[in-house]
Amino acid sequence: MSADTWWKNGIVYQIYPRSFQDSNGDGIGDLDGIRARLDYLVSLGIDAVWISPIYPSPMADFGYDISDFCDIDPRFGTLDGFDALVGDAHSRGLRVILDFVPNHTSDRHPWFVQSRSARSDRRRNWYLWRDPAPDGGPPNNWVSNFGGPAWTLDPSTGQYYGHSFLKEQPDLNWRNPEVRAAMYEVLRFWLRRGVDGFRVDVLSQIIKDAQFRDNPPNPDFVEGQDPFHRWLMLYNTDLPEVQQIVAEMRRVVDAFSDTHSSRVLIGELYLPFARLVAYYGLNAQGALEGVQLPFNFQLIATEWQAARIDRLVRDYEAALPPGAAPNWVLGNHDKPRIASRVGQQMARIAAMLLLTLRGTPTLYYGDEIGMTDVPIPADEVQDPFEKNKPGMGLGRDPERTPMQWSAAASAGFTTGTPWLRLAADWRTHNVEAQSHDEAGSMLALYRHLIALRRAQPALNRGSYEALAAEDEVLAYARNGEGQRLVVLLNFGAASAPMSPALLPRQPIVLASTDPARAEFIKGPLVLAPYEGVVIGAVVDKAATMR
């Protein structure tokens, strides 16, 4: 195994820490809770745990407003507890990835407190400060992701400060070398504690136009849409200068890699393929010096049809620079859950797709048991996104509800009152119940697919080959080390006969989303409605048994 095998061929599992496991009864998940569930993660078969922010925070945006980059919020635990978690994870062969939030701090961070104290303060230029427009309003037309202008007036100094999100989240000035040096030291702080990598929050937005020009209007904007989309973010996202910063981050992280294990950077980037792949950082010498895994979110946004996904995968594979590692994501803490988007039957197809495509898959906690979005009444809403834009359906609470562990009180998540309400089906739809159903449950399917991915070299590190099939069937092969496995996914509500030409000689079903599917194929292969299968040859199975 090479030093980068764990992130190139492994599986990343995202934990939203408030919702994974509470160890002290306060209704909020914590580090000791994650530590108590490590054996579950090992049994699932994942390789790395990505933990959303756990730093000290006033929690205006639930941890993405950070008041100290180099400590642990008491709600989640302590630095000693974090060290114990990393040690226990490593002893089990699990890697630990942290969220790195470079775009902004909390307005209570000591840096910003200093910065706003006076125009002459030495940290004034650590943030984006601008004089008012001639009419006294904001300096330009930039808008916040969470609603309203991206500028707030500070009456005591008479200038506006910029914030891409809440006014409690002032943006750092990444054009200032002192800011870069301080933030790179944050990376080193956690790398010295054994962290294996970082998921970098809103990476494309961290540097802004030096002239602070107005963004142009969006010609495709339709009244009734989120007002955020009224303007094209030409001058405050995805600027060319960000690539230099990405390369600098990569060098910081690479300094902690060795021949046994490389550290990884994962970029949060909601960009089309043509722009996304630029963040791999292909330089003039043909080396990749950017983030190793620019997050590919296209499966979250695309229409759930075989032909659309077939085109999407082909386009992505064609856009990747030489030597780049692909990756795929079905869901995260900001988007509706896959089972809510496509339904439980199709969520099984989605699981097979995610775990058989070429590249690093990322799982979102709870998707492996088919958790769905939970409707949150207006008086229980926690998410500032929803509070700032009520009635637009932008709230992220529904996909952040507590993990459903068992039929015990509060689904085994806490002995207290959960910070968000549970799904109505938690008594029957949980890890414990699905663990007893080793054939038909979603959890059983995930465990089987992950085990198959580990066992079969063609799935683990083989190439991708698109295959032609009927309109409602997505077909592709994975080839590697003398193996050829065929994946057939029926997106249709009708049975789908498969051409024998698609199948290997002596075909055998290595996995199916249908628990009733027999292992050996007798006669023509006909997929059931919404069935997916992984087909190998008898010799392939025999080889993995030895």
Side-chain angles (χ1 to χ4, degrees), residues 37-91:
R37 295 293 187 180
L38 289 177
D39 287 340
Y40 166 75
L41 298 175
V42 171
S43 74
L44 186 60
I46 59 98
D47 298 88
V49 176
W50 154 31
I51 305 173
S52 295
I54 49 176
Y55 313 106
S57 168
M59 296 294 165
D61 188 22
F62 294 107
Y64 283 93
D65 52 314
I66 297 169
S67 56
D68 186 345
F69 286 106
C70 297
D71 205 349
I72 302 294
D73 191 285
R75 297 172 184 86
F76 299 126
T78 64
L79 276 174
D80 286 343
F82 175 79
D83 292 341
L85 170 60
V86 172
D88 283 0
H90 286 172
S91 71

Side-chain angles (χ1 to χ4, degrees), residues 128-130 138-142 148-153 160-163 212:
L128 305 179
W129 290 99
R130 302 292 292 173
N140 62 26
N141 69 353
W142 297 354
W151 298 94
T152 291
L153 180 66
Y160 282 85
Y161 66 87
H163 52 88
F212 293 92

Side-chain angles (χ1 to χ4, degrees), residues 509-521:
V509 177
L510 299 177
S512 172
T513 59
D514 183 355
R517 167 66 63 182
E519 183 179 27
F520 292 96
I521 300 172

Side-chain angles (χ1 to χ4, degrees), residues 195-367:
V195 166
D196 298 287
F198 301 90
R199 174 265 193 189
V200 186
D201 188 57
V202 293
L203 179 57
S204 63
Q205 292 183 238
I206 64 175
I207 199 161
K208 316 300 192 291
D209 180 49
Q211 301 176 51
F212 293 92
R213 286 170 283 188
D214 280 347
N215 279 325
N218 180 0
D220 298 323
F221 178 77
V222 177
E223 290 297 335
Q225 282 184 312
D226 183 349
F228 176 77
H229 299 295
R230 185 179 296 275
W231 312 102
L232 297 175
M233 294 176 65
L234 182 64
Y235 294 115
N236 56 345
T237 191
D238 194 29
L239 272 66
E241 298 97 316
V242 77
Q243 298 300 334
Q244 178 186 348
I245 294 172
V246 173
E248 290 173 2
M249 286 185 188
R250 173 67 179 271
R251 287 195 288 273
V252 171
V253 172
D254 280 351
F256 287 80
S257 298
D258 54 39
T259 56
H260 303 290
S261 179
S262 68
R263 304 299 191 262
V264 69
L265 286 176
I266 303 171
E268 184 194 26
L269 297 156
Y270 285 92
L271 295 171
F273 289 147
R275 289 304 311 145
L276 179 73
V277 298
Y279 285 78
Y280 283 105
L282 184 66
N283 64 24
Q285 291 72 43
L288 299 175
E289 61 180 15
V291 294
Q292 291 99 322
L293 297 174
F295 256 152
N296 168 17
F297 294 120
Q298 296 298 319
L299 288 178
I300 294 178
T302 194
E303 193 174 354
W304 206 250
Q305 294 179 348
R308 294 295 294 272
I309 295 176
D310 177 60
R311 182 74 267 159
L312 183 153
V313 179
R314 291 173 190 246
D315 290 347
Y316 181 53
E317 286 279 346
L320 290 167
N327 68 92
W328 295 94
V329 181
L330 280 180
N332 60 32
H333 62 293
D334 287 332
K335 301 297 180 181
R337 286 189 178 273
I338 182 64
S340 289
R341 300 201 310 268
V342 303
Q344 291 288 352
Q345 279 186 303
M346 287 301 291
R348 297 174 72 87
I349 290 279
M352 183 168 284
L353 175 70
L354 179 71
L355 293 166
T356 59
L357 285 172
R358 188 174 81 92
T360 308
T362 298
L363 311 184
Y364 184 49
Y365 85 96
D367 280 354

